[in-house]
Amino acid sequence: FTLAFVRMTTVPARYPHHAPDNHTRCGSCNIGYMLSQGTCRPMVADSTENYLGFETDLQDLELRYLLQRADRRLEVHAIFISNDMRLNSWFDPSWRKRMLLTLKSNKYKSNLVHMLLGISLQICLTKNSTLEPALTLFINPFGGSHSESWLIPVNENSFPDWRSAKLDLPLECFNWTLTLGNKWKTFFETIHIYLRSRIKTPGTGANDSVYLEPLEMADPTRNLGYMKINSIQVFGYSMHFDPEAIRDLILQLDYPYTQGSQDSALLQLLEIRDRVNRLSPPGQQPLDLFSCLLRHRLKLTANEVVRIHASLQSFNARLPSSLDYETTKLCS
């Protein structure tokens, strides 16, 4: 009798409330389940791979091996743009030089997004030069202005550092490589590179290096050497991206075919949002890369993005054991 009583009073979450006009169909479902074509189904997002790819077939060890060898199969062919310098030409490095490596996916490759795994520059110096390159990188994940890019935190909080390797060439040439790999990979559309020069004080460690600025030079005629960049390689891979399919998901938030289809669309958008934001750089809180995707790859307005975020937060709060998180805005 006791067992029977327990079974009668404990209602599993999957048990539906019947429709008032038809007891063979569901009218509504308990939290954690959605109504789809008259039956209650668990709220589990379908695969998002049809909308946006995330993974490569390569395992960690394979990827590390290919990156160490600078394998051309991982090379992403980006467009080099600079008003300050040209590749394979000598220049005076005492002034800051600016370079862009961009993919222009909004124009040429709208059905792809791209993942950054590393970058390598071949830099040569004149003989007896006292200079050393100091590189700063900003990453623009999906397009937009320079203000919508983030600084790569090189050598901070266990983030990887640049590594230099001397090349067997007549000149003083080095490969400067920053390897992110699977652990630190991130979306990229444009890489902003800032090159400055630094002089190391003889007999001291790298931490005692001072940055050279033209105004700090006591003798402007002093020749500290010249520099040239022979080549720049970007390592990564491209992934499937279907903007029209994601737009269809967003349309279901306003014009659902059924309540079940709207819940399914919200679940898939939540999954895409979380997986995109998970690839933001290390910090106190993740960057809102999902908004950048909506603004620059789907061309949505700021108001539309705010409305989508509000719908996702409201839906997420109704899910069992829901756990939301704060993000730092990048693309306003």
Side-chain angles (χ1 to χ4, degrees):
F1 177 81
T2 305
L3 289 174
F5 178 77
V6 170
R7 290 188 63 178
M8 288 171 62
T9 56
T10 304
V11 181
R14 67 177 180 274
Y15 279 20
H17 303 290
H18 292 295
D21 57 336
N22 187 342
H23 284 275
T24 65
R25 297 178 62 81
C26 301
S28 63
C29 299
N30 292 330
I31 292 175
Y33 293 79
M34 67 178 183
L35 181 63
S36 177
Q37 297 178 346
T39 58
C40 289
R41 297 178 180 176
M43 277 189 177
V44 178
D46 294 334
S47 171
T48 58
E49 294 299 318
N50 293 331
Y51 305 98
L52 176 63
F54 287 95
E55 304 303 334
T56 174
D57 294 334
L58 295 171
Q59 299 300 312
D60 236 11
L61 287 175
E62 293 175 304
L63 204 56
R64 201 175 308 157
Y65 174 73
L66 293 173
L67 286 172
Q68 285 172 350
R69 294 186 58 191
D71 194 292
R72 284 300 179 97
R73 286 171 292 180
L74 285 179
E75 189 173 356
V76 179
H77 298 284
I79 302 167
F80 175 83
I81 302 171
S82 177
N83 292 326
D84 294 345
M85 53 158 289
R86 289 184 297 172
L87 292 179
N88 211 22
S89 297
W90 293 100
F91 58 87
D92 176 2
S94 57
W95 296 88
R96 186 177 70 165
K97 306 297 178 185
R98 293 171 295 180
M99 295 163 270
L100 281 183
L101 295 169
T102 185
L103 298 168
K104 293 187 179 292
S105 294
N106 283 324
K107 191 172 182 181
Y108 302 118
K109 304 173 185 175
S110 60
N111 64 332
L112 295 173
V113 291
H114 313 278
M115 198 69 75
L116 178 67
L117 294 172
I119 184 169
S120 181
L121 296 88
Q122 189 183 112
I123 301 177
C124 296
L125 309 169
T126 49
K127 265 193 172 180
N128 302 320
S129 173
T130 57
L131 299 179
E132 179 181 89
L135 297 156
T136 305
L137 268 58
F138 288 84
I139 301 297
N140 196 304
F142 298 110
S145 66
H146 183 11
S147 62
E148 296 171 319
S149 57
W150 53 270
L151 171 67
I152 285 192
V154 172
N155 203 24
E156 293 180 14
N157 300 323
S158 75
F159 200 87
D161 196 2
W162 289 98
R163 292 188 177 183
S164 65
K166 178 79 167 62
L167 299 173
D168 188 17
L169 294 173
L171 296 169
E172 290 287 307
C173 295
F174 298 81
N175 259 349
W176 287 82
T177 304
L178 180 66
T179 303
L180 307 182
N182 259 334
K183 184 175 182 182
W184 303 108
K185 66 183 178 182
T186 187
F187 293 105
F188 85 103
E189 177 70 23
T190 301
I191 305 174
H192 303 260
I193 304 174
Y194 292 90
L195 169 68
R196 298 171 72 192
S197 300
R198 60 186 178 188
I199 304 173
K200 282 190 176 181
T201 308
T204 60
N207 292 335
D208 298 321
S209 298
V210 292
Y211 286 96
L212 171 70
E213 294 287 351
L215 295 176
E216 295 173 0
M217 293 178 63
D219 182 6
T221 62
R222 182 182 170 201
N223 183 10
L224 297 170
Y226 286 84
M227 193 178 290
K228 72 170 179 173
I229 300 176
N230 288 340
S231 62
I232 304 178
Q233 286 178 287
V234 180
F235 298 103
Y237 56 92
S238 299
M239 298 165 297
H240 164 75
F241 173 65
D242 191 339
E244 293 306 318
I246 297 179
R247 284 194 187 95
D248 286 344
L249 274 183
I250 292 168
L251 276 175
Q252 290 188 48
L253 305 189
D254 293 324
Y255 307 104
Y257 302 108
T258 66
Q259 182 63 39
S261 73
Q262 185 183 52
D263 289 350
S264 177
L266 284 162
L267 275 173
Q268 287 175 312
L269 285 170
L270 271 178
E271 179 75 10
I272 293 171
R273 182 200 71 172
D274 294 345
R275 294 192 70 180
V276 167
N277 288 345
R278 211 173 293 149
L279 289 166
S280 65
Q284 289 187 345
Q285 57 187 35
L287 293 175
D288 184 10
L289 299 185
F290 181 65
S291 288
C292 297
L293 178 75
L294 298 178
R295 288 300 309 277
H296 298 302
R297 297 307 299 272
L298 296 183
K299 306 296 188 185
L300 300 184
T301 66
N303 287 339
E304 287 174 316
V305 173
V306 168
R307 181 178 58 81
I308 291 165
H309 273 292
S311 297
L312 292 178
Q313 285 179 329
S314 174
F315 177 73
N316 190 61
R318 291 190 281 113
L319 294 177
S321 306
S322 63
L323 193 63
D324 217 340
Y325 53 90
E326 293 293 324
T327 55
T328 300
K329 302 300 178 193
L330 183 64
C331 304
S332 58

